[in-house]
Amino acid sequence: MQARLAAMFRGFSDQDTPRTVVIVPSLTMDREVLANISGVHHYEERMLCYLMLLRLPRTQIIYVTSHPVPEPIVDYYLHLLPGIPAQHARKRLTLLSCHDGSRTSLTEKIIERPRLQQRIRDSIPDPSAAYMIYFNVTELERDLALSLDLPIYGCDPDLLSLGSKSGSRKIFREAGIAMPEGLEDLFTPDQIVDALLELRQRRPAIKRAVVKLNEGFSGEGNAVFAYGGAPNVSDLRGWVRSRLPHLAFEAKDMTWELFEEKLRAMGGIVEEFIEGEVKRSPSAQFRIDPLGQLEPVSTHDQVLGGDSGQVFLGCTFPADKHYRLDIQQDGLKAARALAEQGVCGRFAIDFLSVLEGNEWRHYAIEINLRRGGTTHPFMMLEFLTDGCYDPATGSFLTPAGQPRCYYASDNLESPLYRGLTPGDLIDIAAINRLHFDGACQKGVVFHLIGALSEFGKLGVLCIAPSHEETEALYRRTTEVLDRESTTV
């Protein structure tokens, strides 16, 4: 099946080539960790950015979700399409739903519904010109692809360990990239204790360490260990062991008992907590196509929160001009190692950068072999402007040669916004001119719209020629929503 994808991809340079893209935006990840994200079942909407593929006049899209996507949200995206009538695009879009709001992953729900699978097959005009896109690919996604007899544009699940916390450290070591001091492939509390002791031997002045679950994401599988108050060496092992139940967990409902259970199941790492007064969390995105060709896609500075600043909240593009080419270059070293292993699709490499004097020092932190929080905003920028990323400068230019930046967040959240419907949001955006203007290629695009009424949560993408303008747009957006939410 994957050989079919490579043959198909050779013809993709012609935008009039007929193709069908089956999109299954399933977050097939740890359920307990997902449960800590408010409105997480609406995250299936993040991949609605792929509806922009409908600007290609012979492209069909089949989009499958747990719950039906409200028609006002679909209309919102279709009216963003540049150069194609929304009505023409709507005829080439098939929306299917499981009508199932349970915590089971979307992929599992589809596997459990043979009739839904048949509806997917019936909606594909030419199976030889069709492929699947997932948020992340596991054995479940492979099972569904086999059942539908469709290739996947994504990473082979046999290679997923390369993107675990332990696997990332091995790739970084192989590629010769700087990373925090640490140890990997840890599965028991005793191994965690040994690693924390070893880390202190290697770094006598260490203040904190981070314990990370191999399959944690967005910082939710992390916990911080503080060495402050440690006794003399003879009593150190017992003291470290006694402190494990008191780790500072990033996930709000995490307990040591649950963390230990997950550690035994998936393993983890211990690494030095990088201290510094001025720290950033940039990332570099890459794509390896079905023909094995590797290209840099973008760089971002991540916006992080949480008690210790490890939880992903959003991002700015492009990353700081002082170091974006440096992290792109380091990331390319790891990306080449992944390409040699056979990795396919989009992925990101995260860094931690510390300002030491006048120089930035970069540490590779992890590899995300999936579409993440930086994927959909960049794709929207590409589709809306028809511009392109310049890897030589790390900047994005419109066809007219004008720069574009953005500020994106999945976590614009307030109790004030609860009760606002998709229609209300669109009215507010129109009245206050909070929309993307295709003429000047600047403005605001919303996502996660379905989470707004129940959770008061919204995703926002602010596009403008400079970072200062994108941040001003974001501030204005929040001010407008705050004001409109308290008035009728």
Side-chain angles (χ1 to χ4, degrees):
M1 293 195 313
Q2 293 305 105
R4 294 204 324 252
L5 179 63
M8 211 184 306
F9 195 83
R10 290 187 178 92
F12 282 0
S13 57
D14 181 359
Q15 295 193 349
D16 289 332
T17 300
R19 76 197 78 179
T20 300
V21 187
V22 180
I23 300 171
V24 179
S26 178
L27 278 70
T28 310
M29 297 174 170
D30 186 275
R31 293 182 187 178
E32 283 84 4
V33 176
L34 283 174
N36 290 315
I37 302 174
S38 64
V40 68
H41 57 281
H42 291 289
Y43 277 59
E44 293 177 7
E45 295 177 23
R46 289 205 298 186
M47 289 182 69
L48 286 171
C49 62
Y50 280 94
L51 297 194
M52 297 296 103
L53 286 172
L54 291 168
R55 70 177 187 164
L56 305 176
R58 301 191 69 187
T59 292
Q60 307 270 342
I61 287 182
I62 300 168
Y63 200 98
V64 191
T65 52
S66 295
H67 275 303
V69 180
E71 202 62 33
I73 297 177
V74 178
D75 288 344
Y76 176 78
Y77 277 89
L78 295 184
H79 282 89
L80 289 171
L81 281 167
I84 202 84
Q87 183 180 13
H88 189 277
R90 188 63 181 87
K91 290 179 180 178
R92 294 178 283 112
L93 172 63
T94 301
L95 296 171
L96 298 173
S97 171
C98 300
H99 297 274
D100 181 349
S102 67
R103 292 174 61 188
T104 304
S105 75
L106 171 60
T107 304
E108 290 177 88
K109 294 171 186 174
I110 300 171
I111 290 173
E112 292 169 354
R113 291 166 169 79
R115 290 180 179 272
L116 178 57
Q117 292 183 49
Q118 188 57 50
R119 285 197 289 277
I120 294 173
R121 295 187 192 96
D122 292 343
S123 301
I124 300 173
D126 179 5
S128 68
Y131 63 96
M132 301 190 72
I133 292 179
Y134 296 105
F135 177 76
N136 65 312
V137 184
T138 71
E139 289 83 357
L140 283 169
E141 281 69 35
R142 182 167 56 191
D143 289 346
L144 178 56
L146 287 168
S147 178
L148 294 172
D149 190 27
L150 293 174
I152 302 170
Y153 191 176
C155 185
D156 185 333
D158 287 345
L159 301 176
L160 286 182
S161 62
L162 299 175
S164 70
K165 301 298 187 295
S166 292
S168 295
R169 289 183 59 86
K170 294 172 186 176
I171 289 290
F172 297 149
R173 191 176 293 120
E174 176 187 339
I177 305 171
M179 60 182 171
E181 189 68 64
L183 299 97
E184 58 269 5
D185 291 329
L186 311 175
F187 290 87
T188 68
D190 286 342
Q191 289 177 327
I192 296 294
V193 171
D194 290 341
L196 290 167
L197 292 172
E198 174 69 20
L199 199 54
R200 195 169 190 244
Q201 283 187 334
R202 298 181 188 177
R203 295 280 194 269
I206 191 172
K207 296 179 180 178
R208 291 180 285 178
V210 189
V211 184
K212 299 180 179 180
L213 297 173
N214 266 338
E215 307 305 328
F217 56 92
S218 298
E220 294 284 353
N222 296 0
V224 175
F225 178 90
Y227 287 94
N232 60 51
V233 175
S234 62
D235 298 328
L236 189 55
R237 176 175 291 277
W239 181 83
V240 170
R241 184 67 178 84
S242 70
R243 298 305 300 165
L244 292 187
H246 306 288
L247 290 171
F249 301 107
E250 285 295 340
K252 60 184 178 181
D253 294 325
M254 185 65 74
T255 64
W256 167 246
E257 290 74 21
L258 180 57
F259 193 87
E260 181 183 352
E261 176 185 328
K262 294 185 180 302
L263 177 70
R264 292 183 184 278
M266 67 177 67
I269 66 171
V270 165
E271 61 186 18
E272 180 182 12
F273 186 101
I274 302 298
E275 308 286 352
E277 291 187 10
V278 181
K279 291 195 292 186
R280 303 272 181 83
S281 297
S283 69
Q285 288 68 43
F286 301 91
R287 177 175 54 227
I288 302 173
D289 68 28
L291 304 178
Q293 298 171 329
L294 166 66
E295 64 176 318
V297 172
S298 61
T299 63
H300 292 80
D301 276 314
Q302 299 182 85
V303 179
L304 301 180
D307 293 339
S308 61
Q310 299 180 77
V311 177
F312 180 83
L313 299 178
C315 60
T316 62
F317 166 85
D320 191 303
K321 63 183 179 181
H322 292 100
Y323 54 69
R324 61 191 181 212
L325 294 182
D326 293 335
I327 64 165
Q328 179 178 276
Q329 188 59 37
D330 276 352
L332 269 171
K333 297 175 185 177
R336 291 188 186 105
L338 293 169
E340 290 175 2
Q341 297 277 356
V343 168
C344 177
R346 290 177 177 262
F347 57 92
I349 299 173
D350 295 344
F351 293 82
L352 184 62
S353 301
V354 181
L355 185 61
E356 297 181 354
N358 295 321
E359 300 291 329
W360 287 95
R361 187 168 182 180
H362 309 290
Y363 302 87
I365 298 295
E366 67 177 312
I367 299 168
N368 293 306
L369 291 180
R370 53 178 165 79
R371 291 161 175 82
T374 56
T375 303
H376 56 279
F378 183 79
M379 291 189 65
M380 287 300 295
L381 175 67
E382 282 187 305
F383 286 135
L384 291 170
T385 66
D386 205 25
C388 62
Y389 177 72
D390 180 6
T393 63
S395 59
F396 186 94
L397 300 176
T398 68
Q402 298 298 312
R404 283 298 178 270
C405 306
Y406 61 72
Y407 182 101
S409 174
D410 288 338
N411 289 276
L412 178 53
E413 188 170 6
S414 170
L416 294 173
Y417 306 159
R418 291 176 185 160
L420 290 177
T421 66
D424 293 331
L425 176 66
I426 293 167
D427 285 344
I428 291 169
I431 291 169
N432 292 276
R433 290 176 172 78
L434 287 180
H435 54 75
F436 183 80
D437 186 337
C440 65
Q441 296 191 321
K442 173 182 173 180
V444 180
V445 181
F446 295 105
H447 58 278
L448 289 181
I449 298 173
L452 184 59
S453 185
E454 182 179 355
F455 298 95
K457 188 174 185 177
L458 186 64
V460 62
L461 169 64
C462 301
I463 300 172
S466 68
H467 282 305
E468 292 75 18
E469 290 177 89
T470 65
E471 291 170 10
L473 263 178
Y474 182 76
R475 287 193 299 271
R476 180 168 176 264
T477 300
T478 58
E479 289 166 2
V480 166
L481 287 172
D482 290 348
R483 182 183 70 244
E484 295 286 347
S485 300
T486 55
T487 58
V488 178

